[in-house]
Amino acid sequence: MMKMEQPKTGQGFGQAQFLAEWSGEGGPLTMWWSLAVLVGLYCLLRWYRERQVVSHLHDKYVFITGCDSGFGNLLARQLDLRGLRVLAACLTEKGAQQLRSQTSDRLDTVILDVTKTESILAATQWVEERVGDRGLWGLVNNAGIFHPHCYSEWLKIEAYVDVFKVNLTGLIEVTLSMLPLLRRARGRIVNVSSILGRLAFFGGAYCSSKYGVEAFSDTLRRELRHFGVKISIVEPGYFRTGMTHVAWCLERLKQAWEEVPTHIKEAYGQKFFDAHHNGVKQGLLKCSTNLNLVTDCMEHALTSVHPRTRYSAGWDSQFFFIPLSYLPTSLADYILTRSWPKPAQAV
């Protein structure tokens, strides 16, 4: 007779013991569940904190630079609808008139050139006359310019100076001039940087100026923490504004190339420029048109009880450039430059 095979109880017992150890107290499954619960509670707490809004917004004054167009113009209209008292600084009277025609009587405008000290001092006095003892609740340093979308070697030193005067030196001078009014209100400073202030990718003068904005903001935030003044940095990705208007940018690029010295043109070559020109065009066409992704960050920084230190605005900023900035430099360099054309005299 054939013997019946006995069940392998040892194997079943081993599986049961494994499952018991995995899901039992102190097991890996319990650990992961605990971690998931903690992450969920953290996200819920953060969501609750960020939804708390400052009271009496209709009594608070906010000064915004660069309101002729783009982010500044949209933010001025957005905050006006929210009920805040907006003090909008425009570079031209035409821009100021257009903005006033689109907003309520609460909004007031002033002409400001952030590259001129006398203009900044006059604007500061103008603001002080309006805010009085209440002080200035919010300062949004939004004014900025971009040089032609070309390689650093193609730019004249004047282009670097112009970019720094507006994007960094002007921002610093406006901030320092308005600081007594901001301390009086224990207010907010919102500095518009760029994702190119976190990851230098293209445009040496612009990236350098925005790295300076990041450094100045970080320093000032730590220096003013005991005065109750909060500072936020907004880092937009690529958006369709006046600085990224396709025809205008391509025309400036061609003009810069025409003015490049002969020895630099020979080093890069006409084919390189043509490929670069096409790459810039394709990149500009992909810029996001949803400027609210940026202005909503600015509004939150001004109206939230607990504003963030940094706001990354735009899907490209959040899911490409920020993760890329944490990679090893050599790997980030490869990813960013793998599709770039090669110069005529490349080694």
Side-chain angles (χ1 to χ4, degrees), residues 22 26 49 64 99 129 137 181 201 224 231 233 242 250 275 277 286 326 342 346:
W22 177 266
R49 280 171 54 87
I64 310 169
L99 181 59
E129 291 171 356
W137 171 255
L181 302 177
F201 167 53
L224 297 180
I231 299 176
I233 307 170
L250 294 180
H277 181 276
K286 294 177 182 178
Y326 290 101
K342 287 187 177 182

Side-chain angles (χ1 to χ4, degrees), residues 85-224:
R85 297 182 178 273
V86 178
L87 304 175
C90 298
L91 182 61
T92 65
E93 183 58 39
K94 179 182 178 180
Q97 290 178 355
Q98 289 179 343
L99 181 59
R100 288 196 300 268
S101 68
Q102 298 173 326
T103 53
S104 72
D105 294 337
R106 288 188 305 271
L107 184 141
D108 205 352
T109 60
V110 65
I111 303 302
L112 171 65
D113 184 344
V114 299
T115 66
K116 297 179 180 179
T117 299
E118 59 273 19
S119 181
I120 294 173
L121 293 176
T124 303
Q125 183 177 356
W126 178 84
V127 170
E128 186 171 14
E129 291 171 356
R130 280 151 182 78
V131 303
D133 294 335
R134 283 174 292 190
L136 181 63
W137 171 255
L139 167 62
V140 182
N141 283 306
N142 166 75
I145 61 173
F146 195 92
H147 53 68
H149 291 67
C150 60
Y151 279 64
S152 300
E153 194 177 9
W154 303 0
L155 292 174
K156 296 180 180 179
I157 192 62
E158 290 81 7
Y160 286 85
V161 173
D162 291 342
V163 169
F164 271 80
K165 278 184 177 180
V166 177
N167 294 0
L168 182 57
T169 309
L171 179 148
I172 293 173
E173 190 169 2
V174 169
T175 302
L176 297 180
S177 183
M178 298 283 180
L179 210 48
L181 302 177
L182 289 158
R183 279 203 306 267
R184 191 180 303 171
R186 301 183 67 183
R188 310 284 175 82
I189 299 173
V190 180
N191 288 334
V192 181
S193 176
S194 168
I195 192 56
L196 298 181
R198 290 284 293 275
L199 182 67
F201 167 53
F202 184 76
Y206 184 79
C207 290
S208 299
S209 71
K210 293 304 183 180
Y211 265 74
V213 171
E214 299 270 342
F216 175 70
S217 302
D218 284 339
T219 302
L220 200 64
R221 184 183 65 253
R222 289 158 183 150
E223 292 175 348
L224 297 180

